[in-house]
Amino acid sequence: METYATYGLIAEKLYHLPKTESLKTKINRLIADPKNLFSNYIDIGNGVGLKKHSHRVSEIIPSMLRCKAFYRPAPNLRIMANGNLSVCPLLDSGEGYGTLENNNLVHLLNTMQNTFAYKLHAENRIASYLPYYDTSVFGETYDHICSVRAVLTLIAKEIENAPKLDAKIIKEINLRVAGISGHGIST
């Protein structure tokens, strides 16, 4: 779906605007709403090279990986440019709570507890996927734990969906997640 059309669809659903309203009016409604924030900066992917990384993945305490935002979506809930509902700006790459393209917002909110990301963090299972995080792909250092959480959430979902696991498949999963998340391979 084209990005501007997605914005229009989001505005229609959020503000109950008629489909006949102009796309410009719909987008202006989204932008003018003081509760909305439009930003494309994240410290993983495109922004990863802009900061000095001061933490080491090997020193992560497992309890740091659990993110309450994944299972307590207040006060932040995000509708991404692609129509996905998410609580994390780093997870525009596909792991969220569904899309507004073919669901309504109330349904997504009422069923978010059934999603993989929600369960992964609510059940505090995220740390069990840390051994699958490939530092040769993502590097040994990071600036903010949220970067590792986001990548690890995507890796965990792929690990769960893999028919079998071996070193080659784990490497392929890490490379795929690096591509999805916009993260460059570390040197």
Side-chain angles (χ1 to χ4, degrees):
M1 185 183 281
E2 182 186 317
T3 301
Y4 291 115
T6 302
Y7 290 151
L9 178 65
I10 291 168
E12 281 176 22
K13 292 185 182 248
L14 280 178
Y15 305 113
H16 305 287
L17 299 174
K19 292 187 182 295
T20 56
E21 196 75 49
S22 77
L23 184 59
K24 182 178 180 182
T25 300
K26 292 174 189 176
I27 292 172
N28 284 340
R29 179 77 183 264
L30 278 174
I31 293 170
D33 189 331
K35 294 177 184 150
N36 293 331
L37 173 66
F38 290 87
S39 173
N40 64 354
Y41 178 77
I42 55 175
D43 72 342
I44 190 169
N46 297 335
V48 79
L50 300 177
K51 290 186 174 184
K52 179 182 178 212
H53 302 290
S54 55
H55 307 285
R56 301 187 67 73
V57 172
S58 59
E59 297 169 354
I60 289 177
I61 300 166
S63 62
M64 294 169 52
L65 292 169
R66 184 180 194 199
C67 179
K68 291 178 183 175
F70 281 96
Y71 61 96
R72 292 186 195 161
N76 294 317
L77 187 62
R78 291 172 168 75
I79 300 172
M80 310 307 260
N82 60 8
N84 285 347
L85 186 66
S86 180
V87 293
C88 176
L90 302 179
L91 288 182
D92 185 28
S93 47
E95 182 49 48
Y97 303 107
T99 178
L100 289 173
E101 186 174 359
N102 49 15
N103 293 293
N104 73 42
L105 184 59
V106 173
H107 171 76
L108 293 176
L109 291 173
N110 286 331
T111 59
M112 66 190 304
Q113 73 277 4
N114 301 325
T115 63
F116 180 79
Y118 182 101
K119 289 178 183 179
L120 182 69
H121 290 272
E123 296 168 2
N124 200 17
R125 294 184 294 116
I126 185 77
S128 66
Y129 293 91
L130 191 56
Y132 298 108
Y133 183 98
D134 189 337
T135 56
S136 71
V137 174
F138 295 101
E140 170 57 35
T141 59
Y142 64 95
D143 186 55
H144 196 280
I145 192 66
C146 287
S147 299
V148 179
R149 286 176 183 151
V151 165
L152 210 49
T153 299
L154 295 171
I155 289 171
K157 177 121 188 220
E158 292 235 7
I159 294 285
E160 287 298 312
N161 291 327
K164 66 176 187 160
L165 284 179
D166 59 26
K168 181 181 176 195
I169 290 171
I170 293 168
K171 180 65 137 192
E172 289 171 359
I173 287 171
N174 275 265
L175 291 170
R176 210 168 24 255
V177 168
I180 291 168
S181 65
H183 194 290
I185 296 173
S186 300
T187 55

